[in-house]
């Protein structure tokens, strides 16, 4: 069955999207003339500041290019739909934001991204640019807790990038920026559920199948299989299933503070997300946890996939300061 999209040619969808982003947000970002898949913040890199480069495949908007701007990422390298950017735009982003204090690479833990960002880091090292890499691994469904390093990076990217970007904006050293980024990642947990597939612009075909009364618990943002296929449940039961896993692994003492994202995977509307948010707040209250910040909406999508994810960051004073730090990006603003 063919799906419908408002596109011209699937092969041109990413580049035409970027043209639209630049038309809408030219005050915040620009593309390098010689590297149109390298999106750079107009008010980001500056002398003595650690540069921060993020990136990944398209189709997850506002991740990744939406988080480029003052106080967050200085640049994003853009790949094809659900595909890593090649080394060249990563290299050009790195050179554009390097100001002698080093550059921090941050991206989700996927094999293609790791290969291409590592290759870029090796290339820029020849120009004496120091690069540190922190992978996001917040998806609790993708590997056991004792194999955290194998987990995928999903919607928790938002909080981890936010904390690291604030550290860079505060002019901390590259050692400190890397430390904050790793701490933020270690204290961020995401779990999601898919209700219906998405389709790639090039194929216009669903990338997996689900029965009309089924849901996939723990599915990845590229359609990777989850941990179980179950009968569709009411919103409170779905939210409880996700929160049970997150709260159990986070093991936060009563009285601690958290930040939460209730994220649409693409087509799930705000009505349904806020129904979930209602139950998230109840579960946090029952656990004796203080909700410091909540974000509800599209933050890390999977084209038009139906479903949602919940992210919880276990805050301390430092991380709270970092996620409260002002930022002004193309598609995200704080403070």
């Amino acid at each position: 069955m063919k799906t419908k999209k408002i596109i011209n040619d699937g092969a041109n969808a990413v580049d035409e999207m970027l043209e639209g982003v630049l038309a809408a947000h030219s005050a915040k970002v620009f593309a390098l003339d010689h590297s149109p898949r390298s999106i750079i913040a107009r008010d980001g890199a500056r002398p003595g500041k650690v540069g921060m480069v993020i990136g990944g495949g398209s189709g997850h908007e506002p991740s990744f290019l939406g988080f480029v701007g003052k106080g967050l990422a200085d640049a994003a390298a853009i790949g094809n739909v659900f595909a890593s950017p090649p080394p060249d735009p990563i290299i050009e982003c790195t050179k554009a934001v390097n100001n002698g204090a080093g550059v921090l690479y941050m991206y989700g833990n996927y094999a293609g991204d790791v290969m291409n960002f590592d290759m870029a880091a090796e290339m820029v090292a020849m120009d004496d640019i120091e690069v540190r890499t922190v992978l996001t691994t917040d998806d609790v469904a993708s590997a056991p807790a004792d194999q955290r390093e194998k987990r995928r990076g999903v919607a928790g990217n938002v909080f981890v990038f936010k904390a690291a970007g604030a550290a860079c904006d505060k002019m901390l050293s590259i050692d400190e920026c890397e430390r904050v980024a790793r701490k933020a990642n270690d204290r961020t947990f995401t779990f999601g559920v898919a209700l219906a597939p998405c389709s790639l612009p090039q194929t216009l075909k669903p990338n997996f199948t689900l029965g009309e009364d089924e849901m996939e618990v723990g599915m990845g943002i590229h359609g990777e299989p989850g941990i179980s296929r179950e009968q569709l449940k009411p919103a409170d039961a779905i939210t409880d299933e996700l929160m049970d896993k997150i709260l159990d692994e986070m093991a936060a003492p009563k009285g601690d503070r958290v930040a939460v994202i209730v994220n649409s995977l693409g087509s799930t509307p705000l009505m349904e997300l806020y129904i979930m948010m209602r139950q998230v707040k109840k579960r946090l209250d029952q656990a004796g946890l203080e909700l410091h910040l909540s974000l509800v909406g599209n933050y890390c999508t999977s084209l038009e996939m139906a479903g949602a994810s919940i992210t919880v960051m276990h805050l301390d004073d430092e991380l709270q300061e970092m996620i409260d730090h002002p930022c002004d990006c193309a598609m995200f603003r704080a403070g």
Side-chain angles (χ1 to χ4, degrees):
M1 181 175 178
K2 202 170 184 180
T3 59
K4 299 177 182 178
K5 293 183 183 291
I6 302 177
I7 58 174
N8 294 308
D9 182 334
N12 300 328
V14 172
D15 293 318
E16 291 182 352
M17 173 192 70
L18 291 177
E19 288 182 35
V21 168
L22 296 172
H25 303 292
S26 60
K28 300 287 190 298
V29 294
F30 66 95
L32 296 175
D33 290 339
H34 59 286
S35 182
R37 296 282 186 97
S38 300
I39 305 300
I40 313 296
R42 291 197 181 276
D43 188 7
R46 56 190 184 273
K49 176 186 178 297
V50 173
M52 181 169 155
V53 176
I54 62 175
S58 297
H60 304 303
E61 293 72 32
S63 295
F64 295 85
L65 54 83
F67 303 125
V68 175
K70 167 69 175 170
L72 220 158
D74 298 305
I78 309 302
N80 287 327
V81 175
F82 294 177
S84 168
D88 284 351
I90 304 169
I91 291 168
E92 295 306 320
C93 283
T94 308
K95 292 178 179 179
V97 306
N98 173 51
N99 276 283
V103 176
L104 183 64
Y105 283 177
M106 297 201 66
Y107 53 92
N109 184 27
Y110 298 93
D113 294 281
V114 171
M115 179 179 68
N116 289 338
F117 273 88
D118 281 355
M119 195 180 305
E122 292 175 7
M123 295 297 291
V124 300
M126 298 178 187
D127 293 325
D128 295 322
I129 300 175
E130 181 181 7
V131 169
R132 304 282 182 87
T133 297
V134 178
L135 304 180
T136 56
T137 56
D138 57 295
D139 184 6
V140 301
S142 55
D146 61 355
Q147 299 177 41
R148 174 92 193 226
E149 73 283 355
K150 296 181 180 179
R151 287 180 172 175
R152 304 178 292 231
V154 285
N157 284 340
V158 180
F159 283 152
V160 182
F161 293 170
K162 178 71 185 67
C168 294
D169 195 49
K170 287 173 173 287
M171 306 294 285
L172 301 185
S173 69
I174 193 165
D175 287 340
E176 281 294 280
C177 292
E178 180 183 6
R179 179 189 63 78
V180 169
R182 293 191 184 281
K183 178 181 181 180
N185 182 64
D186 288 345
R187 294 170 69 101
T188 302
F189 308 87
T190 301
F191 201 10
V193 59
L195 307 184
C198 63
S199 62
L200 274 60
Q202 298 92 328
T203 66
L204 298 179
K205 297 286 181 66
N207 63 344
F208 61 89
T209 58
L210 274 175
E212 59 185 35
D213 61 348
E214 290 183 325
M215 63 182 191
E216 183 96 5
V217 177
M219 174 164 283
I221 56 173
H222 308 112
E224 301 97 334
I227 58 175
S228 63
R229 184 162 292 195
E230 304 174 9
Q231 291 293 111
L232 181 63
K233 300 175 182 177
D236 287 357
I238 292 173
T239 305
D240 284 341
E241 185 168 356
L242 303 183
M243 289 296 289
D244 284 345
K245 180 71 171 176
I246 290 171
L247 292 174
D248 179 62
E249 184 166 324
M250 187 170 66
K254 288 186 176 182
D256 279 14
R257 293 152 289 161
V258 298
V260 168
I261 303 171
V262 180
N263 170 65
S264 171
L265 293 177
S267 68
T268 298
L270 283 171
M271 174 184 284
E272 297 172 30
L273 299 181
Y274 278 110
I275 291 171
M276 294 180 72
M277 182 66 218
R278 158 189 162 275
Q279 186 67 9
V280 169
K281 181 62 165 62
K282 288 182 179 180
R283 292 299 307 272
L284 295 176
D285 289 345
Q286 291 168 6
L289 299 175
E290 176 187 338
L291 178 59
H292 173 71
L293 172 69
S294 57
L295 303 176
V296 180
N298 286 17
Y299 290 94
C300 182
T301 61
S302 183
L303 294 170
E304 79 277 29
M305 187 184 293
S309 64
I310 297 172
T311 298
V312 182
M313 173 184 261
H314 184 192
L315 298 174
D316 62 6
D317 290 343
E318 181 179 46
L319 290 179
Q320 180 172 320
E321 178 184 351
M322 295 301 172
I323 66 166
D324 287 347
H325 184 74
C327 70
D328 189 9
C329 304
M331 304 177 195
F332 181 71
R333 189 169 297 139

